[in-house]
Amino acid sequence: MRRPVAGHRRPPEGPPRPAWWSDAVFYEVYVRSFADSDADGVGDLEGIRSRLGYLELLGVDALWLTPFYRSPMADHGYDVSDPRDVDPMFGTLGDFDVLLTEAHERGIKVTVDIVPNHTSNQHSWFKSAMAAAPGSPERDRYVFRDGRGPDGSEPPNNWVSVFGGPAWTRVPDGQWYLHLFASQQPDLNYGNADVRYDLERTLRFWLDRGVDGFRIDVAHGMAKPPGLPDMDPRASGFGGGEHFDPRFDDDGVHEVHQMIRKVLDEYPDTMAVGEIWVHDEDRLARYLRPDELHLAFNFRLVLTHFDADAMRTSIERSLAVPRAAGAPATWTLSNHDVWRTVSRYGGGAAGLRRARAMALVELALPGAVYLYNGEELGLPNVDIPPETMADPRARSQGSQFSRDPERVPMPWEGSLPPFGFSRNPRTWLPMPPEWAGLTPERQLEDASSTLSLYRRAVELRKTQAAFRAGDELEWYGAPAGCFAFRRGGKGGLICALNTSASSIALPPGELLVSSSPLVDGRLPPDSAAWLV
């Protein structure tokens, strides 16, 4: 176990070494959907451990594990009833320790999700709050309020839940409690000393076991403004829009991140990345100040259409905020909450070509990259019958809002579901038979496969000297619907993207890799290439 380092440490000799996370390739493992070791149809920690060889072969630097803590699973683990234990569905603390040890032996860092904004309604604290009286210390750990109206029968304000409907639920004694997500996820009150101490205790628990960092769920949440003013009814979603939305990004949240950073600074080479849906660039930069987060998730590429001009604008804006704050940039194209890239770019063969092209763009950019499990296989979204959907957002907002289509379990081998994911044919979400050609077993020996493209790109990112030329981007003139940039000036990597309908000539240089075969030496539509 890693222990805090006391006292002053001698500074290292020579120029400072960049932090490992500054250009790491992270790989998100959605634990339920990666690999199932005990045949219950749900992924688990031992399943992940059994596939570490694959992750080493892929070449990733670090894992991000989604929540595996004790939970009644109302939101598949993001409703935590004990943040310092493993849910039996996923294994034991001993299983986690073995996974961590073996990942480190393979040179793979491990970061874990924490969910500080709320707990499960089955958490011992919330059970105590429900049994206690209004105004009690137990209730002060959460956000309980009296209702509005003569008899208190109206919610305390007009806030809506991210999952739809009011963000308040009334309890039998007449008070209401706040839940920005599902009603089974009551929000914590970070004005309460018990709450702040408990988060610190959770951080130290996992850091002492040896984790390398945290992904902070809803990192722009936690703090609530005094008086809980009404939101603009036009505001929606996860915060960060143009309309007044006091549910998120309150100034008080920065005190929480400063506390988190103080703890991390006691554990050398550990880090935190925040899930922050804040589009105002000045406000986003505040989360990356030297005493707060090391990284902030950047969702601009996720939100940008497959268009070279729009992508260039997104890249330039994505670099500006962390650069001004002195922090590395981050890049991602997908995760467990958004449509898979192949489907987002139109599906079918065209969607796959575009997803492969954007993989090269993403991996060419300076900063940290977050891949989502199955992205490297070219997996698309899956049509899930409404009656088999498991996402609570689908139950509250309708099947069109379900996140299940991008959470279907990983196919590994064989020609029929469950493709080696489990020995149980009934997986927690159904797997489509047409994925037989997308398994690692089928793709590993195929030099033209999407998996081989990712492996080659990740390897070049680590070994090619052009990636070490610098982080500044120099943009070339390019035909309409295309762009090309070079990293670090002369000797740096050149990346070209063609989103037009015609093949184009490439910039001068030696071809390293392309997402589609060149046609008479030209880059075809929906393609990208690297050159030096």
Side-chain angles (χ1 to χ4, degrees), residues 130 144-148 151-154 168-177 179:
M130 290 293 287
F144 278 85
R145 294 290 187 274
D146 294 329
R148 294 196 288 196
D151 57 356
S153 61
E154 297 295 323
W168 297 92
T169 290
R170 201 176 194 190
V171 302
D173 60 31
Q175 279 204 308
W176 300 73
Y177 70 87
H179 52 88

Side-chain angles (χ1 to χ4, degrees), residues 254-377:
H254 297 285
E255 295 180 11
V256 181
H257 290 303
Q258 289 162 355
M259 180 273 285
I260 292 172
R261 182 60 177 264
K262 285 180 180 178
V263 173
L264 288 169
D265 284 348
E266 297 180 27
Y267 296 78
D269 291 327
T270 63
M271 52 76 68
V273 59
E275 179 197 27
I276 308 166
W277 290 90
V278 174
H279 300 299
D280 181 288
E281 293 175 356
D282 291 336
R283 294 197 67 83
L284 178 58
R286 298 181 68 194
Y287 290 85
L288 291 171
R289 290 177 291 193
D291 61 347
E292 295 196 33
L293 296 170
H294 302 85
L295 299 173
F297 267 109
N298 164 34
F299 301 103
R300 288 193 183 278
L301 294 186
V302 173
L303 300 172
T304 303
H305 296 296
F306 187 74
D307 173 85
D309 290 341
M311 286 293 179
R312 174 173 173 170
T313 298
S314 289
I315 290 168
E316 290 176 330
R317 294 184 67 181
S318 298
L319 287 169
V321 171
R323 182 178 292 136
T330 66
W331 311 97
T332 191
L333 292 169
S334 60
N335 62 42
H336 64 281
D337 284 333
V338 300
W339 272 36
R340 285 194 175 276
T341 317
V342 170
S343 297
R344 200 169 67 246
Y345 291 149
L352 180 59
R353 286 195 305 272
R354 293 167 181 170
R356 287 165 58 97
M358 285 306 301
L360 288 190
V361 172
E362 174 187 44
L363 287 164
L365 290 165
V369 174
Y370 279 82
L371 309 179
Y372 174 46
N373 61 217
E375 178 181 338
E376 77 281 7
L377 303 178

Side-chain angles (χ1 to χ4, degrees), residues 412-415 435-446 449 451:
W412 291 99
E413 59 209 15
S415 57
W435 277 8
L438 299 179
T439 64
E441 181 182 57
R442 289 285 293 272
Q443 294 197 42
L444 272 173
E445 302 304 321
D446 179 359
S449 72
L451 177 57

